[in-house]
């Protein structure tokens, strides 16, 4: 102390600096050490009880808030403690500093600014992905995905929507040529890895149900910036599958304006994720189309899931036709063919309806069949409304002109085969083959598209039957049995609304008349496979017998059709 006193006296004479005893001005302190500690403790309590969202925003702030705040509060505490000790002992200091109010104000100002910055980040301007916080963004979300609970992850995913634009902006597009050097900045590298992190199946499941705005924002930004080549395809396929698989996702509430109001009219999420032709085209080329879910996932879908899938597929096709009437062929044909192939797998297990009880209408197999038929009817109507040109050939053997109408006819042709596997009991066979499939698809054919499709399908069916001229097979027998049961055994031309069926019915009956008895002799199992529903065969009279139910008469009605005798070779 004596040395300090001598130094100050020397400074006074050498530099003419005047020193005064601390506290000689009588100024009062703005706050004490105990007040500061109390305020700090209260701040810590508020932070502790604050929700996960505020902590997330503070953790991802461009400035490392936690570290800076800690050292700031420690520095202010040490300086305040030193000031109190200095004034208590009355140690000398410059006259301008002999004002406790000014010193406390200078110490308090950084703390107030720090708290205000906390509020600014938490409520006014939440952080976004940027070069200043990219690494913290990645590792925070990595911990949230693998360590935090569902509630915390949902909050984190909702917050991510704000960063969609900057995240896609920094995500690098891979070079076109292999072996080309790929020099990335740290932020670009993190953005690349972050998109791969979002492809996590748990993330996609939670995002589809509880943060759909984030998925919608990412899809829209990728489309707007035309950056489908970034590592986005895995996320796109996984999240789209979750949208279609989880029935509490918003996709299931966009079915129609009549049922869902504004959501059904706007179809916000369906349009962004499933009905962007340009984006779907690019993703399909990488086998990651949102409209092409993996087979092991779609095999678990029920009728409600398939109804959502067919609705968004129809919306995509509609948007495609709005761009061009020829949009279903050419560069978009691959994505459209994926839709058709997936729909074909919807009814692969219809045979399970054989021997079902009277409540088969409640079975999921029948419900999925109804969904597929509704989709095909809506698709044919859409093609007609958009006046899509038909340039495919009606002849099955003409494979040079292959268009979408030909592919659609092929799908219906395969659908009829699957429906033909339902053969008993009579009521279920008739309900599936005639009431659900045939009459709903080709009941009226009152437009150009459905009429062309019917004629093409009829030719395909008859061609399949004609192949049994060379080799009797169960596939041809299935189509033959379907036609005999659905079209009937009347070999006279009809002039009512079913007159369009005359060519196919008469051709099938003529082939049956000439070949069935020989088939029964050569391949009795194949011949027996032609008997569907109420159709039986009387070997003694060589007649097919179709029995119609008669609830009011004494005996059921019958119609018979006689076949030719088999001549020996």
């Amino acid at each position: 102390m004596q040395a300090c006193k001598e130094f100050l006296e020397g400074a006074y004479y050498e530099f003419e600096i005047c020193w005064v005893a601390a506290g000689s001005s009588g100024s009062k302190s703005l706050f004490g050490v105990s007040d500061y500690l109390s305020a700090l403790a209260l701040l810590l309590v508020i932070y502790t009880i604050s929700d996960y969202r505020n902590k997330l925003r503070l953790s991802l702030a461009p400035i490392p808030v936690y570290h800076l705040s800690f050292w700031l509060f420690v520095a202010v505490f040490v300086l305040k403690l030193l000031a109190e000790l200095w004034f208590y002992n009355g140690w000398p200091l410059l006259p301008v500093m002999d004002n406790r109010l000014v010193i406390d104000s200078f110490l308090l100002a950084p703390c107030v600014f720090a708290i205000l910055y906390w509020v600014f980040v938490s409520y006014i301007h939440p952080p976004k992905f940027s070069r200043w916080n990219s690494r913290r963004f990645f590792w925070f979300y990595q911990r949230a995905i693998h360590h935090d609970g569902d509630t915390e992850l949902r909050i984190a995913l909702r917050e991510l929507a704000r960063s969609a634009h900057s995240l896609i902006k920094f995500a690098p597009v891979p070079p076109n040529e292999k072996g080309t050097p790929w020099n990335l900045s740290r932020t670009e590298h993190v953005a690349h890895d972050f998109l791969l992190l979002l492809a996590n199946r748990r993330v996609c499941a939670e995002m589809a149900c509880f943060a759909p705005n984030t998925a919608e924002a990412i899809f829209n930004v990728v489309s707007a910036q035309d950056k489908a080549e970034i590592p986005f395809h895995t996320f796109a396929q996984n999240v789209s599958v979750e949208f279609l698989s989880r029935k509490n996702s918003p996709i299931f509430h966009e079915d129609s304006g009549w049922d869902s109001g504004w959501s059904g009219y706007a179809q916000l999420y369906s349009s962004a994720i499933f009905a962007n032709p340009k984006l779907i085209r690019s993703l399909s080329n990488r086998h990651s189309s949102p409209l092409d879910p993996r087979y092991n996932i779609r095999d678990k879908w029920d009728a409600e899931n398939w109804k959502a899938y067919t609705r968004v597929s129809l919306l995509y096709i509609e948007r495609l036709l709005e761009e061009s009437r020829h949009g279903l062929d050419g560069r978009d044909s691959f994505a459209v063919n994926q839709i058709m192939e997936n729909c074909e797998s919807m009814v692969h297990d219809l045979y399970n309806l054989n021997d079902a009880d009277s409540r088969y209408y409640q079975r999921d197999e029948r419900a999925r069949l109804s969904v597929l038929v509704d989709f095909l009817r809506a698709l044919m109507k859409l093609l007609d409304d958009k006046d899509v040109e038909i340039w495919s050939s009606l002849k099955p053997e003409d494979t040079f002109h292959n268009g979408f109408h030909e592919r659609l006819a092929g799908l219906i042709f395969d659908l009829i085969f699957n429906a033909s596997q339902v053969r008993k009991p009579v009521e279920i066979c008739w309900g599936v083959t005639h009431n659900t499939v045939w009459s709903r698809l080709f009941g009226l054919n009152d437009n150009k598209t459905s009429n062309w499709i019917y004629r093409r399908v009829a030719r395909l069916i008859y061609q399949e039957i004609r192949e049994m001229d060379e080799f009797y097979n169960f596939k041809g027998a299935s189509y033959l049995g379907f036609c005999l049961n659905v079209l009937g055994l009347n070999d006279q031309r009809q002039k009512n609304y079913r007159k369009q069926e005359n060519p196919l019915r008469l051709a099938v009956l003529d082939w049956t008349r000439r070949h069935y008895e020989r088939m029964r002799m050569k391949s009795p199992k194949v011949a027996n496979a032609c008997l569907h529903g109420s159709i039986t065969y009387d070997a003694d009279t060589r007649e097919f017998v179709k029995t119609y139910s008669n609830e009011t008469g004494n005996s059921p009605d019958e119609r018979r059709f006689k076949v030719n005798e088999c001549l020996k070779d």
Side-chain angles (χ1 to χ4, degrees), residues 440-457:
R440 291 177 63 187
L441 287 176
F442 305 122
L444 296 176
N445 288 345
D446 54 351
N447 58 60
K448 178 184 66 175
T449 301
S450 63
N451 183 55
W452 188 93
I453 294 293
Y454 168 77
R455 294 165 63 191
R456 170 76 181 185
V457 170

Side-chain angles (χ1 to χ4, degrees), residues 165-391:
H165 183 274
S166 57
L167 179 63
I168 303 303
K169 176 184 176 181
F170 284 109
V173 176
N176 294 328
E177 299 180 1
K178 294 183 178 180
T180 304
W182 199 13
N183 299 320
L184 302 179
S185 66
R186 187 183 70 173
T187 306
E188 291 174 336
H189 185 78
V190 173
H192 175 276
D193 291 348
F194 196 92
L195 287 176
L196 296 177
L197 182 67
L198 290 182
N200 181 280
R201 288 191 294 270
R202 183 191 175 202
V203 172
C204 295
E206 296 293 342
M207 186 180 295
C209 299
F210 302 101
N213 287 343
T214 301
E216 182 257 345
I218 293 175
F219 274 83
N220 283 337
V221 172
V222 170
S223 178
Q225 298 186 11
D226 194 17
K227 297 182 69 173
E229 294 79 12
I230 62 176
F232 159 78
H233 54 283
T234 306
F235 164 77
Q237 188 171 54
N238 287 347
V239 76
S240 59
V241 163
E242 297 299 336
F243 268 102
L244 295 171
S245 300
R246 298 183 177 269
K247 297 178 182 178
N248 56 339
S249 76
I251 293 296
F252 289 83
H253 302 287
E254 294 184 344
D255 46 356
S256 68
W258 180 265
D259 295 325
S260 301
W262 182 87
S263 298
Y265 289 116
Q267 296 188 327
L268 184 67
Y269 304 104
S270 300
S271 299
I273 299 173
F274 299 99
N276 187 326
K278 185 177 181 180
L279 188 58
I280 296 295
R281 184 184 308 128
S282 177
L283 293 173
S284 295
N285 294 332
R286 305 183 70 176
H287 303 281
S288 302
S289 169
L291 295 170
D292 186 29
R294 299 181 181 92
Y295 72 92
N296 60 329
I297 295 176
R298 64 173 184 262
D299 282 350
K300 301 176 183 177
W301 285 357
D302 61 12
E304 191 173 358
N305 296 111
W306 279 111
K307 185 177 181 180
Y309 175 80
T310 55
R311 182 181 57 78
V312 297
S313 299
L314 199 65
L315 180 62
Y316 165 70
I317 295 175
E318 182 179 359
R319 298 289 171 82
L320 206 58
L321 294 176
E322 289 174 356
E323 291 186 351
S324 171
R325 290 192 304 167
H326 306 286
L328 298 178
D329 300 301
R331 59 180 181 175
D332 293 296
S333 60
F334 183 60
V336 176
N337 286 336
Q338 288 176 332
I339 296 175
M340 307 302 281
E341 291 175 2
N342 293 333
C343 289
E344 183 179 345
S345 67
M346 195 187 311
V347 292
H348 67 281
D349 57 350
L350 270 181
Y351 61 86
N352 289 328
L353 293 178
N354 282 307
D355 296 321
D357 55 24
S358 59
R359 295 175 295 178
Y360 85 98
Y361 273 92
Q362 302 175 7
R363 294 278 294 269
D364 188 62
E365 293 89 346
R366 192 266 174 190
R368 282 186 274 115
L369 173 63
S370 182
V371 169
L372 178 56
V373 171
D374 289 341
F375 168 70
L376 294 173
R377 292 178 62 193
L379 182 54
M380 287 190 288
K381 183 179 184 302
L382 177 63
L383 296 176
D384 209 60
D385 292 342
K386 299 296 183 181
D387 196 22
V388 179
E389 182 180 356
I390 302 174
W391 52 279

